[in-house]
Amino acid sequence: MLNIDSLQNGIVIDHIKAGASMAIYDLLKLGKLDCCVAIIKNARSAKYGKKDIIKIDGELEIDLDMLGFLDPNITVGIIRDGKLVEKRHFTLPERIVNVLKCRNPRCITTVEPGLDQIFFLSDRESHTYRCLYCEARAE
């Protein structure tokens, strides 16, 4: 079995759907960080069978709220002095910025490329998001 050292200070993103860790790595822009990032793919999980895990070594400020949009089963553990001090669970965020792109060719975001792509949660049960500007449904 593979052994990854424990963290003294950092973040552990756990219960990621197997194979989805690289999408999260890209979305959170973890490649631009100047710290150690470990990605564990297809780890054994009693609950899910297989899962991915991302360990980020060091204190940093990243927007984790969008993880609820990607997968509501994801948990984030905050580690300080080698101990788990906080465990976060996520729900669907009310608003997401620059995660989705509006596909409506008449939307202002296609004419103004520097404009943020903002979507709001229009239906929690069906996980439906709509563009803030034109209300087109996210696909």
Side-chain angles (χ1 to χ4, degrees), residues 39-127:
I39 298 174
I40 304 159
K41 294 182 69 173
N42 297 317
R44 288 187 201 110
S45 169
K47 191 173 184 180
Y48 301 109
K50 289 183 179 179
K51 67 179 180 177
D52 288 0
I53 303 167
I54 300 175
K55 290 185 172 188
I56 306 166
D57 187 26
E59 304 269 336
L60 54 126
E61 293 294 323
I62 54 176
D63 180 16
L64 298 171
D65 290 333
M66 69 181 79
L67 295 176
F69 167 72
L70 297 173
D71 184 350
N73 295 318
I74 290 176
T75 60
V76 172
I78 309 297
I79 312 295
R80 290 200 183 98
D81 298 322
K83 295 184 175 134
L84 178 66
V85 296
E86 182 183 353
K87 189 167 188 177
R88 295 184 192 170
H89 298 271
F90 297 92
T91 60
L92 289 172
E94 292 295 322
R95 183 176 134 135
I96 53 177
V97 179
N98 296 328
V99 175
L100 300 171
K101 188 171 184 174
C102 187
R103 298 190 188 275
N104 179 358
R106 295 182 183 186
C107 183
I108 192 167
T109 58
T110 59
V111 178
E112 298 287 336
L115 203 57
D116 283 337
Q117 299 277 333
I118 303 171
F119 285 80
F120 65 93
L121 181 62
S122 64
D123 186 359
R124 187 168 294 280
E125 287 187 26
S126 66
H127 298 214

